Amino acid sequence: MPNWLPEVFGTQKPIVAMLHLAPLPGDPGYDTVGGVAAIVERARGELDALQSGGVDAVMISNEFSLPYLTKTEPITAITMARVLGELQRDLSVPFGVNVLWDGRASIDLATATDAAFVREIFTGVYASDFGLWNTNVGEVARHRHRIGAGNVKLLFNIVPESATYLAERDLGSIARTTVFATKPDALCVSGLTAGAPTDTQSLAIVKENAGDVPVFVNTGVRASNVADQLAVADGAVVGTYFKQDGKFENRADRTRVEELMVAAKAFRSQLA
């Protein structure tokens, strides 16, 4: 196993739980009556369900900021920093952040809140539901260096949701050149949308071509398949399954968290 995973997460094959924030100021679904206080209250309750259920880490994201921007407005990261500031005393596991879909804003937020990692789309050009989606990993890498964020681990999602890679290249070659040319700390492989199954063959192809770089399965992990997915991947990011009834729009359910974590820990115990 790559050295940094146990250092950051305290275990091999970590399960990173998504903490989806309610719509933020500026988002179409923002609750102007409840305000930011309501966002904090919901986040605190879900954080308790995730941590008490036994997850290894959490990743805070603006998942309900639909439809997403590829360059976010300042109010988004500013509000997320406010929420994280209020949750800081409740956090008992390592945490990361994801400002969808803005890599630079994600790194800024991580630096301001002492987050250990971020996940974003840092490479590639895509035709997406949000329009033509371009990236500039060289600019982001220099920004990371300039603000002193070298300790923030970058998880590159190289199979993004709701998008198709424009170049006619196979997934194995994309993984190889991403690792060689852009130095990711980890790669993430996703299904079509949040909660959608990740293709096991695609996951295996990325793993085979990633060298020593860890590979996370990024969507569609369930209690019933977590062992199979972790047999290939170095870790998993789980969001929708942890929700009540397994529905994206619902809040985290401790019972479902415990169910998946029991299965994940049973698999990990076989590796010891």
Side-chain angles (χ1 to χ4, degrees):
M1 289 291 295
N3 289 334
W4 77 262
L5 292 182
E7 290 174 0
V8 171
F9 299 112
T11 185
Q12 59 177 333
K13 307 281 187 175
I15 302 297
V16 179
M18 294 303 302
L19 177 54
H20 295 162
L21 299 182
L24 307 175
D27 294 338
Y30 176 58
D31 175 11
T32 57
V33 176
V36 177
I39 297 171
V40 173
E41 180 181 8
R42 172 170 175 163
R44 182 170 285 120
E46 294 200 60
L47 176 62
D48 179 67
L50 296 170
Q51 290 186 147
S52 61
V55 301
D56 303 306
V58 296
M59 177 155 43
I60 296 91
S61 77
N62 58 321
E63 207 83 15
F64 290 113
S65 291
L66 292 163
Y68 301 128
L69 295 168
T70 54
K71 179 175 176 53
T72 56
E73 297 169 346
I75 188 63
T76 301
I78 290 170
T79 305
M80 292 177 73
R82 152 84 185 276
V83 173
L84 265 163
E86 298 212 28
L87 295 180
Q88 206 91 32
R89 68 181 182 274
D90 302 311
L91 281 160
S92 60
V93 297
F95 73 94
V97 297
N98 185 191
V99 185
L100 296 162
W101 289 99
D102 191 331
R104 186 165 172 156
S106 296
I107 294 171
D108 287 344
L109 179 61
T111 304
T113 59
D114 293 325
F117 58 95
V118 304
R119 178 197 63 183
E120 250 310 328
I121 310 299
F122 291 109
T123 58
V125 182
Y126 307 88
S128 81
D129 292 342
F130 315 111
L132 186 63
W133 188 347
N134 200 0
T135 61
N136 189 332
V137 66
E139 180 182 272
V140 170
R142 284 161 177 79
H143 178 71
R144 178 195 191 192
H145 174 73
R146 188 165 54 249
I147 65 172
N151 61 321
V152 177
K153 302 298 185 184
L154 304 188
L155 281 59
F156 285 36
N157 191 346
I158 66 167
V159 186
E161 303 156 32
S162 305
T164 299
Y165 202 100
L166 283 184
E168 293 184 2
R169 301 174 60 207
D170 64 90
L171 186 56
S173 66
I174 293 171
R176 288 195 302 274
T177 58
T178 299
V179 168
F180 176 81
T182 66
K183 310 301 182 186
D185 293 302
L187 300 177
C188 295
V189 185
S190 305
L192 183 64
T193 62
T198 297
D199 179 63
T200 305
Q201 183 177 2
S202 297
L203 183 64
I205 289 171
V206 174
K207 180 61 182 171
E208 289 168 4
N209 289 278
D212 293 332
V213 175
V215 175
F216 282 75
V217 53
N218 196 47
T219 66
V221 177
R222 300 168 170 80
S224 60
N225 71 6
V226 65
D228 291 339
Q229 296 285 48
L230 290 182
V232 179
D234 298 304
V237 179
V238 184
T240 301
Y241 183 82
F242 286 154
K243 307 290 189 76
Q244 295 168 2
D245 300 321
K247 294 183 177 180
F248 173 76
E249 63 272 15
N250 289 346
R251 302 188 184 208
D253 180 341
R254 176 176 173 172
T255 300
R256 294 180 68 89
V257 178
E258 291 173 339
E259 181 184 24
L260 186 143
M261 291 308 302
V262 166
K265 290 175 181 178
F267 174 80
R268 294 195 305 219
S269 69
Q270 300 172 20
L271 305 176

